[in-house]
Amino acid sequence: MATSEKSVMVVAIDDSEHSFYALDWTLDHFFTPFVPNSPYKLVIVHAKPTPASAIGLAGPGAADVLPYVDADLKKIAARVVEKAKEICHVKLVNDVIMEVVEGDARNVLCEAVEKHHATLLVVGSHGYGAIKRAVLGSVSDYCAHHAHCSVMIVKRPKIKH
């Protein structure tokens, strides 16, 4: 199968264990068993929040804080990408595109689907309750309704006591 014929799978990552679990799970089920001939081309996308959205404040003094917040967000993004590369490396998945895109995760992921003509978008589930989800808005809910491809939400198994 030629590279150009492969379907594209976009995997969303952030600095949560949920997203790394989703990446791990996806590699185990769609990539590692087929190394080096996975039927998919892998694109991993991290949406880096804008400094202003991260602090959510404006007014006097806000502009002074933004460069520090941005530096922190860049460090987090670098850490996230490094961890994703490590996970891929351990699973022998080396043909991967990594992208860090600034913006709201909902828009960034839907735009990545369009840009790469993805057939599948994979997101982790944070497992928020109804109230927190209503306030924050669920990225996975948004993507399920707006992405122009199938969306797979990977949930961590509940730990049985």
Side-chain angles (χ1 to χ4, degrees):
M1 189 184 253
T3 308
S4 60
E5 295 169 24
K6 286 187 177 186
S7 295
V8 176
M9 187 182 296
V10 172
V11 178
I13 56 168
D14 60 16
D15 60 344
S16 73
E17 283 307 309
H18 301 279
S19 76
F20 292 117
Y21 176 83
L23 174 58
D24 219 30
W25 190 94
T26 303
L27 294 176
D28 285 347
H29 288 82
F30 293 94
F31 291 88
T32 306
F34 309 101
V35 164
N37 297 312
S38 168
Y40 291 95
K41 184 176 170 173
L42 179 61
V43 178
I44 296 176
V45 178
H46 171 62
K48 179 177 111 29
T50 61
S53 73
I55 57 172
L57 65 96
D64 302 337
V65 181
L66 291 179
Y68 298 105
V69 173
D70 194 42
D72 263 2
L73 292 170
K74 283 181 175 145
K75 281 183 199 147
I76 292 167
R79 253 199 329 265
V80 167
V81 167
E82 264 322 294
K83 187 166 180 181
K85 281 181 183 169
E86 264 171 48
I87 292 169
C88 291
H89 183 71
V90 167
K91 306 266 183 193
L92 307 174
V93 178
N94 299 310
D95 185 16
V96 57
I97 297 169
M98 296 273 181
E99 291 184 349
V100 175
V101 182
E102 189 171 83
D104 182 282
R106 297 164 184 79
N107 301 329
V108 166
L109 296 174
C110 289
E111 285 162 14
V113 163
E114 294 293 306
K115 175 182 163 190
H116 295 285
H117 308 289
T119 54
L120 185 63
L121 170 63
V122 180
V123 292
S125 171
H126 283 255
Y128 293 142
I131 294 170
K132 196 165 187 183
R133 192 170 49 245
V135 173
L136 294 176
S138 164
V139 171
S140 54
D141 277 357
Y142 182 90
C143 291
H145 290 94
H146 295 91
H148 294 281
C149 70
S150 295
V151 176
M152 181 168 69
I153 301 166
V154 178
K155 295 182 174 191
R156 289 180 83 151
K158 282 204 166 40
I159 298 160
K160 294 179 177 86
H161 296 288

